[in-house]
Amino acid sequence: STTLSQCRQNYSAECEEAVNGQINMEFRAFYAYEAMVVHFRRDDVALENFAKYFQESANEEKEHAELFIKFQNQRGGRVQLRAIPVPEKTEFKNGLEAVEHALKLEKDVNQSLLDLHKAA
């Protein structure tokens, strides 16, 4: 059974759920960027600078997830880790296609943040 934290105050279940959704979104972005890193480090692709760029993006998304986890715990919420779906795209024709995919991903994460802001 889930007990409420003693430090929880003025923190709605809706906000807690929205933060858990954002944690999942950040991990999904992390996972998608990791797929890009794997692609660009393949021996038949071998574009190391693209791999490095997307590795930095992956690390940033993971840090964001960790910050939201820390926030959730500080507010007395309960972190509910969810399944992370397989990235929708794992192979790219070229760097441009990957960067365009990354832009879409960033827009999705940003929209999720805007939705979280509304819930808070």
Side-chain angles (χ1 to χ4, degrees):
S1 75
T2 303
T3 58
L4 288 180
S5 168
Q6 291 183 11
C7 72
R8 187 179 183 127
Q9 180 180 8
N10 194 28
Y11 193 55
S12 70
E14 293 79 18
C15 191
E16 178 182 26
E17 173 59 28
V19 170
N20 278 323
Q22 189 63 38
I23 290 167
N24 184 261
M25 175 59 81
E26 300 290 347
F27 277 131
R28 286 173 56 194
F30 163 75
Y31 208 40
Y33 281 125
E34 284 292 326
M36 292 178 183
V37 172
V38 168
H39 171 79
F40 286 107
R41 286 200 172 131
R42 282 182 11 195
D43 67 336
D44 61 335
V45 178
L47 292 172
E48 184 58 28
N49 286 330
F50 275 100
K52 285 179 184 176
Y53 175 80
F54 290 124
Q55 187 66 69
E56 289 173 11
S57 297
N59 294 343
E60 182 180 284
E61 299 300 341
K62 184 172 178 273
E63 287 173 21
H64 293 163
E66 291 167 348
L67 287 170
F68 279 110
I69 289 169
K70 182 179 179 182
F71 172 81
Q72 187 81 298
N73 283 329
Q74 287 174 335
R75 288 303 313 264
R78 296 293 182 248
V79 174
Q80 294 179 349
L81 298 177
R82 301 174 183 161
I84 302 169
V86 173
E88 62 185 63
K89 194 159 183 60
T90 59
E91 295 198 7
F92 304 91
K93 288 182 245 169
N94 52 46
L96 176 61
E97 184 180 55
V99 170
E100 288 172 341
H101 184 69
L103 177 60
K104 178 190 178 304
L105 185 61
E106 288 297 324
K107 286 180 176 181
D108 291 346
V109 171
N110 187 60
Q111 185 59 56
S112 181
L113 281 167
L114 293 172
D115 295 344
L116 174 61
H117 182 73
K118 285 181 196 170

